[in-house]
Amino acid sequence: LNIPQTWSPEVNSGLGGSILPVMWSWPLNLIFGIGSKIGLDFAILERLGLLAALALGWWGMTRLSSKLGALIYLTNSFFILLIDGGQISLALAYGILPLCIYLYQKNDIFNFSLASLVLSIFDIRIIYFLLILIGLDWLIFRRKLINVLKIGLVTGVLMLGFHSFWLIPAIVNKGVALPSGYASATQLDFLSFANWKHALFFQQPHWYENVFGKIGKLHREFVIFPILALMSIYLYRKSRETWYWTLVLGVAIFLAKGNTWPFGNIYTWLFTYLPGFNLFRDPVKFYFLIALGYSVLIGQIKNIRVMFL
């Protein structure tokens, strides 16, 4: 529980250093700090965060897709291991992302701006995924550019204003630099844990032991995800919505495998040259979009029996 500070004496093995690259996380840390001050220990706060992630995920997915889609979104190996690893801020961002894209598609400028701000507080990197979803949405649906610019302007002003507590020091400091080595493409060689099979089967590569760097064997039962998605694509092939989520899923599967075969050099190029892409040293985070793609596609099957007719 403290005011935001650009310098911390606790980093660099106690020698101190700039914490500008992670200052965006201060609001969520403040919430946990307030909880601590009123007598809630971290175990309780962590569980409250989990409940919030589940509630947000269910609420958003039932609007974006269906109850079946929400069930898939909240019971897959990726989300389970987020929780198992204690990554509550990422789990909260995972929970609210479906609501953000739903509000965007409804052109609800006010609520979309607020939801996007909350998403940036949970984990600002996930805004990048929201931008990918919006870009692909414009590509498929060809929404009026003036509406996209309007919602972007309102959201941008709100977010810039709120995050000015660290953006202004960053500008004065001539930018925010990632820690040494974080922006090096060599990081991808040992952080590209998922191959194309893991990504296609929607199996978190560390499933189920969740030991960092220990890749689990591919479990055949996960083939149910691409099978059901293909059935949904066939059944609803005339829907532009179907092809939008198919494109999202395809892009996400390709990116989630990082620099592994095939065409791994594309991820390396994006990491090196595309602004902001070097935030994703760990390509498994693109499972956010795989989860959305599979959940919406499978969730749109209104009656499971229709698949066998």
Side-chain angles (χ1 to χ4, degrees):
L1 182 65
N2 209 336
I3 61 173
Q5 301 178 67
T6 60
W7 181 273
S8 171
E10 299 174 0
V11 300
N12 293 333
S13 301
L15 296 175
S18 171
I19 55 171
L20 264 175
V22 294
M23 271 188 68
W24 56 265
S25 64
W26 171 77
L28 189 59
N29 292 337
L30 178 65
I31 293 171
F32 281 108
I34 292 172
S36 176
K37 288 297 181 182
I38 62 176
L40 299 175
D41 64 29
F42 186 74
I44 295 174
L45 292 169
E46 193 175 39
R47 284 159 176 77
L48 290 174
L50 169 60
L51 290 174
L54 289 168
L56 287 168
W58 184 267
W59 188 29
M61 280 304 303
T62 52
R63 283 153 178 77
L64 190 63
S65 177
S66 65
K67 291 180 179 178
L68 174 60
L71 185 64
I72 293 170
Y73 193 71
L74 297 174
T75 58
N76 59 75
S77 64
F78 176 66
F79 183 65
I80 290 170
L81 293 195
L82 274 184
I83 300 301
D84 182 65
Q87 300 183 68
I88 295 301
S89 63
L90 272 174
L92 286 165
Y94 181 91
I96 200 173
L97 182 59
L99 184 61
C100 290
I101 192 61
Y102 167 78
L103 293 170
Y104 170 79
Q105 291 180 346
K106 294 297 179 183
N107 200 34
D108 187 339
I109 298 177
F110 178 75
N111 287 318
F112 170 80
S113 300
L114 288 179
S116 299
L117 177 61
V118 173
L119 176 63
S120 72
I121 291 172
F122 290 157
D123 197 305
I124 201 167
R125 295 169 296 180
I126 310 306
I127 292 294
Y128 209 95
F129 293 159
L130 184 58
L131 292 174
I132 291 174
L133 290 168
I134 290 172
L136 295 177
D137 178 276
W138 182 82
L139 185 66
I140 296 296
F141 295 103
R142 293 293 180 181
R143 301 185 192 277
K144 291 183 178 179
L145 185 58
I146 186 65
N147 292 338
V148 177
L149 293 175
K150 190 184 300 182
I151 199 169
L153 177 63
V154 174
T155 305
V157 169
L158 178 64
M159 292 183 65
L160 287 172
F162 181 87
H163 287 286
S164 60
F165 71 90
W166 66 271
L167 286 173
I168 292 175
I171 293 171
V172 172
N173 198 49
K174 297 181 180 178
V176 176
L178 292 172
S180 178
Y182 274 51
S184 172
T186 58
Q187 296 276 313
L188 301 176
D189 293 334
F190 60 91
L191 289 176
S192 294
F193 299 119
N195 58 38
W196 69 270
K197 293 179 182 177
H198 288 114
L200 179 64
F201 280 32
F202 192 22
Q203 177 187 325
Q204 214 275 12
H206 294 110
W207 181 260
Y208 54 91
E209 294 181 58
N210 206 17
V211 177
F212 183 81
K214 185 177 180 180
I215 309 303
K217 68 176 183 178
L218 200 65
H219 293 264
R220 281 182 252 179
E221 58 268 24
F222 284 88
V223 75
I224 192 66
F225 289 111
I227 288 176
L228 290 177
L230 283 172
M231 289 181 174
S232 175
I233 292 168
Y234 174 75
L235 290 170
Y236 303 99
R237 58 191 179 277
K238 295 182 180 179
S239 168
R240 191 175 293 189
E241 189 84 10
T242 296
W243 291 110
Y244 167 68
W245 288 109
T246 302
L247 180 59
V248 169
L249 181 60
V251 169
I253 288 173
F254 181 79
L255 294 177
K257 68 178 185 57
N259 68 348
T260 62
W261 185 90
F263 306 112
N265 57 318
I266 294 178
Y267 195 95
T268 302
W269 186 91
L270 292 171
F271 184 90
T272 305
Y273 297 107
L274 189 64
F277 205 85
N278 57 6
L279 293 171
F280 303 103
R281 299 182 307 142
D282 176 7
V284 172
K285 287 186 175 63
F286 281 95
Y287 272 57
F288 271 73
L289 300 183
I290 295 178
L292 273 175
Y294 273 132
S295 299
V296 176
L297 285 172
I298 299 172
Q300 71 180 355
I301 301 175
K302 301 296 188 296
N303 187 342
I304 295 296
R305 287 177 301 176
V306 76
M307 296 188 303
F308 303 101
L309 296 179

Tab-separated table of all heavy atoms in Angstrom, residues 40-88:
chain	number	residue	atom	x	y	z
A	40	LEU	N	-7.300	-8.747	5.331
A	40	LEU	CA	-7.425	-9.903	4.447
A	40	LEU	C	-6.033	-10.359	4.027
A	40	LEU	O	-5.283	-9.587	3.447
A	40	LEU	CB	-8.250	-9.542	3.204
A	40	LEU	CG	-9.694	-9.079	3.448
A	40	LEU	CD1	-10.332	-8.655	2.130
A	40	LEU	CD2	-10.513	-10.182	4.094
A	41	ASP	N	-5.690	-11.611	4.334
A	41	ASP	CA	-4.375	-12.075	3.906
A	41	ASP	C	-4.409	-12.425	2.418
A	41	ASP	O	-5.457	-12.491	1.796
A	41	ASP	CB	-3.875	-13.247	4.755
A	41	ASP	CG	-4.732	-14.498	4.633
A	41	ASP	OD1	-5.356	-14.708	3.572
A	41	ASP	OD2	-4.780	-15.276	5.598
A	42	PHE	N	-3.221	-12.661	1.851
A	42	PHE	CA	-3.125	-12.834	0.396
A	42	PHE	C	-3.891	-14.058	-0.082
A	42	PHE	O	-4.432	-14.064	-1.192
A	42	PHE	CB	-1.659	-12.924	-0.040
A	42	PHE	CG	-1.497	-12.957	-1.533
A	42	PHE	CD1	-1.679	-11.807	-2.284
A	42	PHE	CD2	-1.210	-14.145	-2.194
A	42	PHE	CE1	-1.554	-11.828	-3.667
A	42	PHE	CE2	-1.083	-14.179	-3.575
A	42	PHE	CZ	-1.256	-13.015	-4.308
A	43	ALA	N	-3.945	-15.109	0.725
A	43	ALA	CA	-4.679	-16.317	0.318
A	43	ALA	C	-6.148	-16.005	0.062
A	43	ALA	O	-6.750	-16.494	-0.904
A	43	ALA	CB	-4.538	-17.398	1.398
A	44	ILE	N	-6.728	-15.153	0.919
A	44	ILE	CA	-8.127	-14.758	0.738
A	44	ILE	C	-8.264	-13.863	-0.483
A	44	ILE	O	-9.174	-14.031	-1.305
A	44	ILE	CB	-8.646	-14.045	1.999
A	44	ILE	CG1	-8.681	-15.015	3.188
A	44	ILE	CG2	-10.043	-13.457	1.755
A	44	ILE	CD1	-9.048	-14.369	4.501
A	45	LEU	N	-7.359	-12.884	-0.617
A	45	LEU	CA	-7.403	-11.970	-1.756
A	45	LEU	C	-7.239	-12.723	-3.070
A	45	LEU	O	-7.894	-12.405	-4.071
A	45	LEU	CB	-6.305	-10.914	-1.617
A	45	LEU	CG	-6.486	-9.910	-0.474
A	45	LEU	CD1	-5.216	-9.106	-0.270
A	45	LEU	CD2	-7.661	-8.986	-0.763
A	46	GLU	N	-6.382	-13.750	-3.064
A	46	GLU	CA	-6.166	-14.556	-4.261
A	46	GLU	C	-7.438	-15.292	-4.652
A	46	GLU	O	-7.799	-15.360	-5.829
A	46	GLU	CB	-5.027	-15.542	-4.000
A	46	GLU	CG	-4.495	-16.226	-5.251
A	46	GLU	CD	-3.301	-17.093	-4.944
A	46	GLU	OE1	-3.296	-17.763	-3.887
A	46	GLU	OE2	-2.376	-17.115	-5.760
A	47	ARG	N	-8.134	-15.827	-3.677
A	47	ARG	CA	-9.377	-16.542	-3.954
A	47	ARG	C	-10.477	-15.595	-4.423
A	47	ARG	O	-11.282	-15.943	-5.289
A	47	ARG	CB	-9.822	-17.319	-2.712
A	47	ARG	CG	-8.996	-18.584	-2.506
A	47	ARG	CD	-9.054	-19.097	-1.061
A	47	ARG	NE	-8.338	-20.358	-0.917
A	47	ARG	CZ	-7.017	-20.464	-0.866
A	47	ARG	NH1	-6.257	-19.378	-0.958
A	47	ARG	NH2	-6.439	-21.648	-0.737
A	48	LEU	N	-10.501	-14.396	-3.858
A	48	LEU	CA	-11.456	-13.392	-4.331
A	48	LEU	C	-11.165	-13.011	-5.778
A	48	LEU	O	-12.084	-12.804	-6.574
A	48	LEU	CB	-11.410	-12.149	-3.436
A	48	LEU	CG	-11.964	-12.309	-2.017
A	48	LEU	CD1	-11.715	-11.044	-1.203
A	48	LEU	CD2	-13.461	-12.630	-2.056
A	49	GLY	N	-9.871	-12.926	-6.113
A	49	GLY	CA	-9.485	-12.646	-7.494
A	49	GLY	C	-9.928	-13.748	-8.428
A	49	GLY	O	-10.405	-13.489	-9.537
A	50	LEU	N	-9.787	-15.001	-7.987
A	50	LEU	CA	-10.235	-16.132	-8.789
A	50	LEU	C	-11.738	-16.076	-9.030
A	50	LEU	O	-12.211	-16.270	-10.157
A	50	LEU	CB	-9.866	-17.447	-8.099
A	50	LEU	CG	-10.493	-18.726	-8.671
A	50	LEU	CD1	-10.105	-18.919	-10.125
A	50	LEU	CD2	-10.086	-19.934	-7.845
A	51	LEU	N	-12.505	-15.800	-7.981
A	51	LEU	CA	-13.963	-15.706	-8.123
A	51	LEU	C	-14.339	-14.575	-9.080
A	51	LEU	O	-15.269	-14.718	-9.882
A	51	LEU	CB	-14.606	-15.478	-6.748
A	51	LEU	CG	-14.556	-16.665	-5.782
A	51	LEU	CD1	-15.097	-16.263	-4.415
A	51	LEU	CD2	-15.347	-17.849	-6.339
A	52	ALA	N	-13.616	-13.460	-8.988
A	52	ALA	CA	-13.880	-12.332	-9.887
A	52	ALA	C	-13.587	-12.718	-11.331
A	52	ALA	O	-14.349	-12.377	-12.251
A	52	ALA	CB	-13.037	-11.124	-9.475
A	53	ALA	N	-12.478	-13.443	-11.567
A	53	ALA	CA	-12.130	-13.882	-12.922
A	53	ALA	C	-13.197	-14.819	-13.477
A	53	ALA	O	-13.599	-14.712	-14.642
A	53	ALA	CB	-10.762	-14.576	-12.915
A	54	LEU	N	-13.673	-15.742	-12.649
A	54	LEU	CA	-14.715	-16.678	-13.076
A	54	LEU	C	-16.009	-15.942	-13.394
A	54	LEU	O	-16.664	-16.216	-14.404
A	54	LEU	CB	-14.957	-17.725	-11.984
A	54	LEU	CG	-13.840	-18.758	-11.766
A	54	LEU	CD1	-14.081	-19.543	-10.483
A	54	LEU	CD2	-13.742	-19.706	-12.951
A	55	ALA	N	-16.375	-14.995	-12.525
A	55	ALA	CA	-17.612	-14.250	-12.738
A	55	ALA	C	-17.544	-13.400	-14.009
A	55	ALA	O	-18.486	-13.381	-14.808
A	55	ALA	CB	-17.900	-13.361	-11.524
A	56	LEU	N	-16.421	-12.706	-14.210
A	56	LEU	CA	-16.251	-11.884	-15.405
A	56	LEU	C	-16.255	-12.743	-16.665
A	56	LEU	O	-16.882	-12.394	-17.671
A	56	LEU	CB	-14.944	-11.094	-15.320
A	56	LEU	CG	-14.915	-9.921	-14.343
A	56	LEU	CD1	-13.493	-9.427	-14.140
A	56	LEU	CD2	-15.814	-8.788	-14.830
A	57	GLY	N	-15.546	-13.875	-16.606
A	57	GLY	CA	-15.482	-14.759	-17.764
A	57	GLY	C	-16.839	-15.317	-18.138
A	57	GLY	O	-17.212	-15.368	-19.318
A	58	TRP	N	-17.606	-15.741	-17.125
A	58	TRP	CA	-18.942	-16.291	-17.390
A	58	TRP	C	-19.868	-15.217	-17.949
A	58	TRP	O	-20.585	-15.436	-18.928
A	58	TRP	CB	-19.519	-16.882	-16.110
A	58	TRP	CG	-20.847	-17.551	-16.321
A	58	TRP	CD1	-22.089	-16.997	-16.185
A	58	TRP	CD2	-21.063	-18.893	-16.760
A	58	TRP	NE1	-23.058	-17.915	-16.491
A	58	TRP	CE2	-22.462	-19.093	-16.848
A	58	TRP	CE3	-20.211	-19.953	-17.078
A	58	TRP	CZ2	-23.027	-20.303	-17.247
A	58	TRP	CZ3	-20.773	-21.158	-17.467
A	58	TRP	CH2	-22.153	-21.319	-17.547
A	59	TRP	N	-19.822	-14.031	-17.331
A	59	TRP	CA	-20.694	-12.936	-17.738
A	59	TRP	C	-20.397	-12.510	-19.174
A	59	TRP	O	-21.292	-12.359	-19.993
A	59	TRP	CB	-20.493	-11.759	-16.770
A	59	TRP	CG	-21.455	-10.631	-16.953
A	59	TRP	CD1	-22.742	-10.702	-17.425
A	59	TRP	CD2	-21.216	-9.252	-16.667
A	59	TRP	NE1	-23.316	-9.442	-17.444
A	59	TRP	CE2	-22.404	-8.542	-16.981
A	59	TRP	CE3	-20.129	-8.558	-16.163
A	59	TRP	CZ2	-22.510	-7.166	-16.812
A	59	TRP	CZ3	-20.241	-7.189	-15.990
A	59	TRP	CH2	-21.410	-6.505	-16.313
A	60	GLY	N	-19.115	-12.338	-19.473
A	60	GLY	CA	-18.749	-11.894	-20.812
A	60	GLY	C	-19.015	-12.933	-21.877
A	60	GLY	O	-19.550	-12.633	-22.946
A	61	MET	N	-18.671	-14.203	-21.597
A	61	MET	CA	-18.813	-15.248	-22.614
A	61	MET	C	-20.261	-15.596	-22.899
A	61	MET	O	-20.609	-15.954	-24.030
A	61	MET	CB	-18.058	-16.509	-22.185
A	61	MET	CG	-16.565	-16.461	-22.423
A	61	MET	SD	-16.095	-16.125	-24.144
A	61	MET	CE	-16.915	-17.459	-25.006
A	62	THR	N	-21.142	-15.505	-21.891
A	62	THR	CA	-22.549	-15.791	-22.163
A	62	THR	C	-23.165	-14.734	-23.065
A	62	THR	O	-24.161	-15.004	-23.756
A	62	THR	CB	-23.355	-15.883	-20.857
A	62	THR	OG1	-23.117	-14.718	-20.055
A	62	THR	CG2	-22.986	-17.127	-20.068
A	63	ARG	N	-22.597	-13.539	-23.087
A	63	ARG	CA	-23.064	-12.505	-24.003
A	63	ARG	C	-22.409	-12.639	-25.375
A	63	ARG	O	-23.053	-12.439	-26.394
A	63	ARG	CB	-22.792	-11.117	-23.412
A	63	ARG	CG	-23.791	-10.748	-22.333
A	63	ARG	CD	-23.245	-9.775	-21.311
A	63	ARG	NE	-24.286	-9.442	-20.342
A	63	ARG	CZ	-24.655	-10.247	-19.348
A	63	ARG	NH1	-24.070	-11.420	-19.200
A	63	ARG	NH2	-25.601	-9.887	-18.513
A	64	LEU	N	-21.145	-12.990	-25.381
A	64	LEU	CA	-20.421	-13.119	-26.639
A	64	LEU	C	-20.795	-14.404	-27.357
A	64	LEU	O	-20.837	-14.456	-28.584
A	64	LEU	CB	-18.914	-13.101	-26.360
A	64	LEU	CG	-17.973	-12.992	-27.561
A	64	LEU	CD1	-18.186	-11.674	-28.291
A	64	LEU	CD2	-16.529	-13.108	-27.096
A	65	SER	N	-21.088	-15.467	-26.593
A	65	SER	CA	-21.364	-16.762	-27.204
A	65	SER	C	-22.575	-17.424	-26.550
A	65	SER	O	-23.709	-17.163	-26.915
A	65	SER	CB	-20.121	-17.659	-27.078
A	65	SER	OG	-20.363	-18.939	-27.593
A	66	SER	N	-22.338	-18.279	-25.574
A	66	SER	CA	-23.410	-19.043	-24.934
A	66	SER	C	-22.882	-19.624	-23.634
A	66	SER	O	-21.702	-19.478	-23.298
A	66	SER	CB	-23.868	-20.174	-25.849
A	66	SER	OG	-22.815	-21.112	-26.042
A	67	LYS	N	-23.741	-20.313	-22.902
A	67	LYS	CA	-23.311	-20.963	-21.663
A	67	LYS	C	-22.310	-22.067	-21.954
A	67	LYS	O	-21.382	-22.292	-21.179
A	67	LYS	CB	-24.518	-21.517	-20.911
A	67	LYS	CG	-25.426	-20.432	-20.337
A	67	LYS	CD	-26.607	-21.021	-19.589
A	67	LYS	CE	-27.479	-19.909	-19.012
A	67	LYS	NZ	-28.664	-20.452	-18.309
A	68	LEU	N	-22.496	-22.770	-23.077
A	68	LEU	CA	-21.533	-23.795	-23.472
A	68	LEU	C	-20.170	-23.162	-23.738
A	68	LEU	O	-19.130	-23.670	-23.312
A	68	LEU	CB	-22.019	-24.550	-24.707
A	68	LEU	CG	-21.042	-25.571	-25.320
A	68	LEU	CD1	-20.688	-26.655	-24.299
A	68	LEU	CD2	-21.628	-26.192	-26.582
A	69	GLY	N	-20.165	-22.025	-24.440
A	69	GLY	CA	-18.924	-21.315	-24.705
A	69	GLY	C	-18.252	-20.856	-23.420
A	69	GLY	O	-17.030	-20.953	-23.274
A	70	ALA	N	-19.051	-20.362	-22.469
A	70	ALA	CA	-18.509	-19.917	-21.189
A	70	ALA	C	-17.901	-21.081	-20.424
A	70	ALA	O	-16.843	-20.952	-19.790
A	70	ALA	CB	-19.606	-19.258	-20.358
A	71	LEU	N	-18.558	-22.238	-20.491
A	71	LEU	CA	-18.052	-23.426	-19.795
A	71	LEU	C	-16.696	-23.840	-20.353
A	71	LEU	O	-15.760	-24.137	-19.600
A	71	LEU	CB	-19.056	-24.576	-19.940
A	71	LEU	CG	-18.734	-25.857	-19.178
A	71	LEU	CD1	-18.755	-25.602	-17.677
A	71	LEU	CD2	-19.713	-26.959	-19.553
A	72	ILE	N	-16.567	-23.837	-21.682
A	72	ILE	CA	-15.286	-24.183	-22.310
A	72	ILE	C	-14.223	-23.150	-21.956
A	72	ILE	O	-13.076	-23.489	-21.662
A	72	ILE	CB	-15.457	-24.285	-23.836
A	72	ILE	CG1	-16.351	-25.477	-24.189
A	72	ILE	CG2	-14.109	-24.402	-24.545
A	72	ILE	CD1	-16.775	-25.516	-25.641
A	73	TYR	N	-14.614	-21.888	-21.951
A	73	TYR	CA	-13.671	-20.802	-21.700
A	73	TYR	C	-13.071	-20.878	-20.294
A	73	TYR	O	-11.923	-20.469	-20.084
A	73	TYR	CB	-14.380	-19.459	-21.889
A	73	TYR	CG	-13.460	-18.261	-21.970
A	73	TYR	CD1	-12.653	-18.070	-23.088
A	73	TYR	CD2	-13.392	-17.341	-20.932
A	73	TYR	CE1	-11.805	-16.972	-23.164
A	73	TYR	CE2	-12.553	-16.240	-21.008
A	73	TYR	CZ	-11.756	-16.069	-22.130
A	73	TYR	OH	-10.908	-14.984	-22.204
A	74	LEU	N	-13.844	-21.411	-19.340
A	74	LEU	CA	-13.416	-21.398	-17.944
A	74	LEU	C	-12.965	-22.754	-17.415
A	74	LEU	O	-12.626	-22.875	-16.234
A	74	LEU	CB	-14.553	-20.863	-17.064
A	74	LEU	CG	-14.967	-19.413	-17.335
A	74	LEU	CD1	-16.182	-19.043	-16.514
A	74	LEU	CD2	-13.818	-18.459	-17.049
A	75	THR	N	-12.951	-23.779	-18.262
A	75	THR	CA	-12.566	-25.109	-17.761
A	75	THR	C	-11.457	-25.746	-18.600
A	75	THR	O	-11.260	-26.954	-18.537
A	75	THR	CB	-13.783	-26.061	-17.738
A	75	THR	OG1	-14.342	-26.157	-19.059
A	75	THR	CG2	-14.843	-25.576	-16.778
A	76	ASN	N	-10.756	-24.964	-19.381
A	76	ASN	CA	-9.691	-25.527	-20.231
A	76	ASN	C	-8.356	-25.557	-19.490
A	76	ASN	O	-8.194	-24.934	-18.437
A	76	ASN	CB	-9.578	-24.713	-21.536
A	76	ASN	CG	-9.277	-23.254	-21.263
A	76	ASN	OD1	-8.160	-22.895	-20.928
A	76	ASN	ND2	-10.293	-22.392	-21.394
A	77	SER	N	-7.401	-26.275	-20.051
A	77	SER	CA	-6.110	-26.477	-19.384
A	77	SER	C	-5.328	-25.175	-19.220
A	77	SER	O	-4.587	-25.007	-18.252
A	77	SER	CB	-5.274	-27.499	-20.165
A	77	SER	OG	-4.950	-27.020	-21.465
A	78	PHE	N	-5.475	-24.232	-20.148
A	78	PHE	CA	-4.745	-22.971	-20.057
A	78	PHE	C	-5.197	-22.165	-18.849
A	78	PHE	O	-4.382	-21.708	-18.041
A	78	PHE	CB	-4.935	-22.162	-21.340
A	78	PHE	CG	-4.302	-20.799	-21.297
A	78	PHE	CD1	-2.926	-20.663	-21.232
A	78	PHE	CD2	-5.079	-19.649	-21.322
A	78	PHE	CE1	-2.322	-19.398	-21.182
A	78	PHE	CE2	-4.490	-18.396	-21.285
A	78	PHE	CZ	-3.115	-18.269	-21.210
A	79	PHE	N	-6.507	-21.999	-18.686
A	79	PHE	CA	-7.029	-21.214	-17.570
A	79	PHE	C	-6.751	-21.910	-16.237
A	79	PHE	O	-6.388	-21.260	-15.250
A	79	PHE	CB	-8.529	-20.989	-17.751
A	79	PHE	CG	-9.141	-20.119	-16.682
A	79	PHE	CD1	-8.769	-18.799	-16.553
A	79	PHE	CD2	-10.072	-20.639	-15.797
A	79	PHE	CE1	-9.328	-17.991	-15.570
A	79	PHE	CE2	-10.629	-19.845	-14.817
A	79	PHE	CZ	-10.261	-18.522	-14.687
A	80	ILE	N	-6.885	-23.227	-16.211
A	80	ILE	CA	-6.632	-23.972	-14.982
A	80	ILE	C	-5.193	-23.776	-14.513
A	80	ILE	O	-4.929	-23.560	-13.324
A	80	ILE	CB	-6.940	-25.473	-15.186
A	80	ILE	CG1	-8.455	-25.676	-15.341
A	80	ILE	CG2	-6.411	-26.306	-14.013
A	80	ILE	CD1	-8.837	-27.077	-15.773
A	81	LEU	N	-4.241	-23.805	-15.452
A	81	LEU	CA	-2.840	-23.648	-15.064
A	81	LEU	C	-2.481	-22.198	-14.756
A	81	LEU	O	-1.521	-21.940	-14.024
A	81	LEU	CB	-1.917	-24.221	-16.140
A	81	LEU	CG	-1.976	-25.739	-16.322
A	81	LEU	CD1	-0.773	-26.233	-17.136
A	81	LEU	CD2	-2.043	-26.476	-15.004
A	82	LEU	N	-3.236	-21.233	-15.295
A	82	LEU	CA	-3.066	-19.848	-14.859
A	82	LEU	C	-3.353	-19.739	-13.371
A	82	LEU	O	-2.603	-19.116	-12.611
A	82	LEU	CB	-4.020	-18.911	-15.620
A	82	LEU	CG	-3.596	-18.349	-16.969
A	82	LEU	CD1	-4.659	-17.381	-17.481
A	82	LEU	CD2	-2.251	-17.653	-16.905
A	83	ILE	N	-4.463	-20.355	-12.961
A	83	ILE	CA	-4.845	-20.325	-11.559
A	83	ILE	C	-3.852	-21.120	-10.716
A	83	ILE	O	-3.409	-20.685	-9.655
A	83	ILE	CB	-6.265	-20.886	-11.380
A	83	ILE	CG1	-7.278	-20.053	-12.174
A	83	ILE	CG2	-6.645	-20.920	-9.900
A	83	ILE	CD1	-7.329	-18.606	-11.799
A	84	ASP	N	-3.487	-22.291	-11.196
A	84	ASP	CA	-2.550	-23.146	-10.460
A	84	ASP	C	-1.210	-22.449	-10.256
A	84	ASP	O	-0.561	-22.641	-9.226
A	84	ASP	CB	-2.343	-24.464	-11.218
A	84	ASP	CG	-1.408	-25.415	-10.486
A	84	ASP	OD1	-1.780	-25.864	-9.387
A	84	ASP	OD2	-0.312	-25.695	-10.997
A	85	GLY	N	-0.818	-21.622	-11.218
A	85	GLY	CA	0.438	-20.892	-11.112
A	85	GLY	C	0.328	-19.594	-10.337
A	85	GLY	O	1.310	-18.860	-10.209
A	86	GLY	N	-0.867	-19.282	-9.834
A	86	GLY	CA	-1.053	-18.074	-9.040
A	86	GLY	C	-1.019	-16.781	-9.838
A	86	GLY	O	-0.787	-15.707	-9.280
A	87	GLN	N	-1.263	-16.867	-11.145
A	87	GLN	CA	-1.200	-15.671	-11.994
A	87	GLN	C	-2.573	-14.979	-12.025
A	87	GLN	O	-3.271	-14.965	-13.032
A	87	GLN	CB	-0.752	-16.062	-13.398
A	87	GLN	CG	0.623	-16.712	-13.417
A	87	GLN	CD	1.094	-17.037	-14.810
A	87	GLN	OE1	1.376	-16.141	-15.600
A	87	GLN	NE2	1.180	-18.319	-15.133
A	88	ILE	N	-2.926	-14.402	-10.877
A	88	ILE	CA	-4.269	-13.859	-10.708
A	88	ILE	C	-4.527	-12.660	-11.614
A	88	ILE	O	-5.620	-12.508	-12.156
A	88	ILE	CB	-4.504	-13.479	-9.228
A	88	ILE	CG1	-4.467	-14.734	-8.354
A	88	ILE	CG2	-5.841	-12.770	-9.054
A	88	ILE	CD1	-5.497	-15.780	-8.719
